[in-house]
Amino acid sequence: MCGIVGYTGKDQAAPILLDGLQKLEYRGYDSAGLAVRDGKALAEVVKATGKLYHLADKTDQGRALKGNCGIGHTRWATHGDPSTVNAHPHVSGNCTGSGSGKVESDVAGVHNGIIENFAELKEKLLRHGYAFYSDTDTEVVVKLVDYYYKKYKIGPVDAITRTMVRVRGSYALALMFKDYPDEIFAARKDSPLIIGTAEDASFLASDVPAILKYTRSVYYIDNLQVARVSPGQVKFYDLNGDEVTLNQTEITWDAAAAEKGGFEHFMLKEIHEQPAAVRDTLNSLVKNGKIDLAETGLTDDMIRSLTQIDIVACGSAWHVGMAAQYVIEELAQLPVRVELASEFRYRNLPLSESTLVIVISQSGETADSLAALRVARERGAKTLAVVNVIGSTIAREADHVLYTLAGPEIAVATTKAYSAQLIAMDLLAVQMAFVRGTVSADAYAHDLEELSLIPEKIRRILEDKERLQWFASKIANAHDIFFIGRGLDYAISLEGSLKMKEISYIHSEAYAAGELKHGTISLIENNTLVIGVLTQSRLYEKTVSNMMECKSRGAYLMGLTTNGNFSVEDSVNFTVYIPKTDEHFVASLAVVPLQLLGYYTSVSRGLDVDKPRNLAKSVTVE
Ligand code: M6R
């Protein structure tokens, strides 16, 4: 989704803004722009479609734009096509052509989110003599701020709060006013925005990596708050315009964590960071040989009172929920529903205080997951957020938070955050089982021992990548790939299939193996690749039979199984082995070769692995 940066300080703003935008590229975008003010004139605006280097070329890497205060934006189109004129920043005055050049407007702004009632607001502004040059909802909101600013002759903070009361939807806004040199004004509702301060400079950004190079002291501006940002200082206001105090947070991430560190792509680097991400998450929850949930605030009594678990998430995080469902049900013997957040939020599921709704989210900002969390709270359920980004909205709004310690994840295709979520959910399942008395002390100790060995086993899988690299080059021209499995193997297939399709653009589906005969098998032709996940001994033979049915119809087969199941080699064309572990926890291992397969297939096809088309890292609009 869109990325916002802002800078005000002693240095030239544009190169800093470009650098910040580059760190936000992972979020996905189709155009970009800068507005930098120099002295009294509000701003010079420069925009470009396509990759960020076009904007950098247009501005001589930012050097051509004079001025020490500015805002920048990468746009992921929602209202209006990805053109220069629709790119941000937008201005309150008129604009011709591409919207670039010196502007004489009173207000300029960038926006991440969606203004749902923009059409109605636009009508109102048209009636008051405003003209529009773009198709965006952002131009409407910038002009609405300008309208209140002039009509009531009030300061920027009041003009912004009046606007916030009128708009519906989600937004992170950064605005500059002609009459306020050196200052940037920001507002936020349901879209992420942080503000960092250093000695003589301040920074705004949609995410931490954009400012990490300059400061580690950040504020997480709250929903429905306004910030007034000047060099080295920031003040916050509520909707009434009254000043409020926010605590500053120190970011502990290593700046190198947001760099590629010698790997060709962030995705490959993050795949290799999985042993550490899993180990760190595990160590944060296991103390003195026991699982300790004290930091989440979940008590044993709360766990004992539960009658139902609902896991709500999107995409890969939903796949973690699918895997966790089998583990919680089997170990803790609690009924589990796994719901897509975008569906859950509009359903009328009965919830009670004995239901625990677990929202899983790497970013902690996914719009549907956030909305689902709010619905769950309104209906009286207890809520637990399993989140990677500290201070994110979902983390702040949930009753309980369990932080995964994967560090910053930049590649759009999640890998290490998925693995960290998975181990966190496995630990939760084991603890729930122990507290509820559904596993013995010996079984508990065995489970913990097995989980503690997972990081080293992932490391071993990563040592043996060459066969997968070779196989990926062989399948790089496939038209369709089917992933099949039963039980936990079905959950693993879902993630394997998503990893493949999102970065290789090869059509791929995951099916519960038993479902093939109910329709999908008619799609199998000569050489269609079918990947069977075969880690569950109880279901192994059944899935192998389903693979054989595909083979009889011409399919080319790959089997993914645990060391020791050598019989599969006789039946399939290509076999991948993973180390043995307790079958409940096998997803943590089985997913790794599938991530590598997706990665190498994308590389073989010469695609943009880290920034696949049309996708955004953090989906902050519905
Ligand atoms: O930040 P979240 O975990 O809430 O994001 C949810 C999905 O958008 C995300 O898992 C997505 O499916 C992955 N990037 C796919 O690799």
Side-chain angles (χ1 to χ4, degrees):
M1 299 283 114
C2 304
I4 289 179
V5 292
Y7 171 80
T8 176
K10 284 189 181 151
D11 295 321
Q12 191 180 1
I16 295 172
L17 297 174
L18 278 173
D19 180 58
L21 288 180
Q22 193 225 327
K23 299 286 184 335
L24 297 181
E25 274 191 289
Y26 72 89
R27 295 171 68 81
Y29 68 103
D30 40 55
S31 54
L34 299 174
V36 176
R37 64 175 304 148
D38 187 13
K40 286 214 171 121
L42 173 62
E44 180 157 356
V45 174
V46 186
K47 307 178 187 187
T49 52
K51 293 288 178 202
L52 204 53
Y53 65 81
H54 294 299
L55 184 66
D57 285 352
K58 263 189 169 176
T59 59
D60 186 21
Q61 313 305 314
R63 289 185 288 262
L65 282 181
K66 301 283 173 258
N68 303 348
C69 176
I71 50 181
H73 189 262
T74 44
R75 175 173 185 251
W76 190 85
T78 57
H79 294 66
D81 59 8
S83 60
T84 322
V85 78
N86 285 332
H88 303 203
H90 286 288
V91 295
S92 56
N94 285 329
C95 229
T96 47
S98 66
S100 292
K102 291 258 183 219
V103 289
E104 287 307 322
S105 302
D106 288 298
V107 187
V110 292
H111 164 223
N112 168 25
I114 287 185
I115 304 300
E116 287 165 6
N117 57 338
F118 84 103
E120 159 203 331
L121 296 171
K122 190 170 182 175
E123 292 248 316
K124 169 190 164 83
L125 290 166
L126 283 167
R127 283 199 303 276
H128 286 88
Y130 282 84
F132 289 84
Y133 57 85
S134 77
D135 302 320
T136 64
D137 51 346
T138 305
E139 189 190 351
V140 175
V141 85
V142 170
K143 287 188 162 141
L144 191 64
V145 171
D146 182 70
Y147 169 75
Y148 288 129
Y149 181 61
K150 287 178 180 146
K151 177 172 176 189
Y152 297 108
K153 301 200 179 359
I154 47 182
V157 170
D158 291 327
I160 294 170
T161 54
R162 274 183 188 265
T163 304
M164 290 162 80
V165 172
R166 278 305 303 270
V167 300
R168 284 199 306 275
S170 58
Y171 49 84
L173 281 169
L175 300 157
M176 293 193 298
F177 289 71
K178 183 178 169 191
D179 305 332
Y180 294 80
D182 302 331
E183 289 188 274
I184 302 171
F185 295 83
R188 162 180 188 274
K189 176 176 172 270
D190 296 345
S191 291
L193 190 66
I194 56 164
I195 296 166
T197 53
E199 207 181 315
D200 291 316
S202 295
F203 306 81
L204 290 92
S206 299
D207 199 359
V208 172
I211 63 173
L212 209 50
K213 196 161 136 189
Y214 310 101
T215 181
R216 289 171 176 279
S217 308
V218 302
Y219 294 96
Y220 291 91
I221 176 171
D222 253 324
N223 254 347
L224 296 175
Q225 284 185 343
V226 177
R228 179 173 187 164
V229 185
S230 49
Q233 271 195 5
V234 54
K235 288 183 174 171
F236 296 95
Y237 303 86
D238 63 17
L239 259 194
N240 299 318
D242 294 331
E243 197 172 331
V244 290
T245 310
L246 291 193
N247 291 328
Q248 213 171 32
T249 306
E250 280 298 303
I251 302 291
T252 52
W253 290 354
D254 177 358
E259 307 287 341
K260 277 191 208 152
F263 285 90
E264 200 181 339
H265 298 100
F266 278 112
M267 183 178 176
L268 190 60
K269 174 179 174 246
E270 288 161 5
I271 287 174
H272 281 82
E273 285 172 345
Q274 290 182 110
V278 170
R279 187 178 300 111
D280 290 350
T281 304
L282 198 126
N283 288 343
S284 73
L285 293 169
V286 179
K287 291 177 186 136
N288 303 320
K290 293 213 167 74
I291 299 169
D292 182 347
L293 298 179
E295 280 184 23
T296 68
L298 280 179
T299 63
D300 289 358
D301 282 346
M302 273 181 208
I303 291 174
R304 279 189 213 100
S305 72
L306 297 176
T307 57
Q308 170 76 40
I309 307 267
D310 284 357
I311 304 177
V312 187
C314 302
S316 294
W318 180 74
H319 298 160
V320 170
M322 288 294 285
Q325 174 184 36
Y326 296 103
V327 187
I328 298 174
E329 281 179 351
E330 270 188 37
L331 296 183
Q333 291 169 27
L334 259 171
V336 181
R337 284 185 296 214
V338 188
E339 302 289 329
L340 292 164
S342 53
E343 292 292 315
F344 179 92
R345 62 184 292 189
Y346 295 116
R347 280 173 68 183
N348 277 318
L349 276 178
L351 302 173
S352 71
E353 58 175 7
S354 65
T355 304
L356 177 67
V357 174
I358 306 177
V359 179
I360 307 176
S361 174
Q362 186 284 128
S363 61
E365 300 291 349
T366 301
D368 284 320
S369 303
L370 175 59
L373 171 72
R374 289 177 179 164
V375 166
R377 296 197 69 198
E378 271 160 32
R379 300 222 181 112
K382 294 188 178 68
T383 56
L384 167 70
V386 177
V387 168
N388 196 45
V389 177
I390 295 173
S392 54
T393 312
I394 290 175
R396 281 184 285 162
E397 293 196 16
D399 302 321
H400 306 278
V401 188
L402 190 168
Y403 280 114
T404 51
L405 299 184
E409 192 179 61
I410 308 295
V412 166
T414 182
T415 51
K416 63 174 180 169
Y418 169 94
S419 289
Q421 289 163 351
L422 208 52
I423 200 92
M425 292 302 288
D426 283 345
L427 286 161
L428 200 59
V430 172
Q431 184 64 2
M432 284 180 168
F434 188 56
V435 169
R436 294 168 61 81
T438 53
V439 293
S440 65
D442 282 353
Y444 178 79
H446 159 84
D447 288 347
L448 267 184
E449 168 70 11
E450 285 289 278
L451 286 168
S452 71
L453 297 173
I454 296 275
E456 171 55 20
K457 290 179 183 171
I458 296 178
R459 197 192 59 72
R460 269 164 40 205
I461 298 171
L462 292 172
E463 273 180 354
D464 186 19
K465 301 185 287 281
E466 283 68 24
R467 283 183 75 243
L468 282 160
Q469 196 168 1
W470 168 80
F471 189 64
S473 65
K474 202 169 148 55
I475 64 166
N477 292 323
H479 286 119
D480 306 284
I481 303 180
F482 295 93
F483 289 73
I484 63 169
R486 291 169 182 253
L488 195 52
D489 287 338
Y490 170 51
I492 298 165
S493 299
L494 285 165
E495 180 60 7
S497 171
L498 181 61
K499 285 291 89 81
M500 178 58 74
K501 73 180 120 188
E502 67 179 329
I503 53 173
S504 76
Y505 312 154
I506 295 174
H507 168 250
S508 170
E509 302 288 340
Y511 277 92
E515 271 294 296
L516 279 177
K517 284 207 271 294
H518 298 283
T520 310
I521 201 162
S522 67
L523 293 170
I524 304 295
E525 299 176 339
N526 257 352
N527 286 324
T528 305
L529 176 59
V530 175
I531 298 178
V533 183
L534 305 156
T535 69
Q536 303 293 297
S537 44
R538 200 162 51 92
L539 303 164
Y540 174 86
E541 282 179 358
K542 294 197 180 297
T543 305
V544 170
S545 299
N546 296 130
M547 293 173 76
M548 291 307 114
E549 288 156 6
C550 294
K551 191 174 188 175
S552 316
R553 285 151 184 89
Y556 186 80
L557 299 182
M558 171 181 142
L560 172 63
T561 190
T562 40
N563 272 334
N565 281 335
F566 294 115
S567 62
V568 76
E569 275 183 9
D570 301 332
S571 319
V572 307
N573 305 91
F574 183 71
T575 315
V576 176
Y577 294 104
I578 52 169
K580 272 211 153 99
T581 184
D582 183 293
E583 287 184 6
H584 292 111
F585 312 132
V586 76
S588 292
L589 304 183
V591 75
V592 180
L594 300 182
Q595 295 168 341
L596 288 166
L597 192 61
Y599 171 77
Y600 284 122
T601 307
S602 177
V603 172
S604 295
R605 288 165 69 90
L607 299 172
D608 190 349
V609 179
D610 286 334
K611 298 185 284 291
R613 68 185 178 203
N614 305 338
L615 289 178
K617 179 70 180 163
S618 169
V619 182
T620 50
V621 294
E622 190 175 351

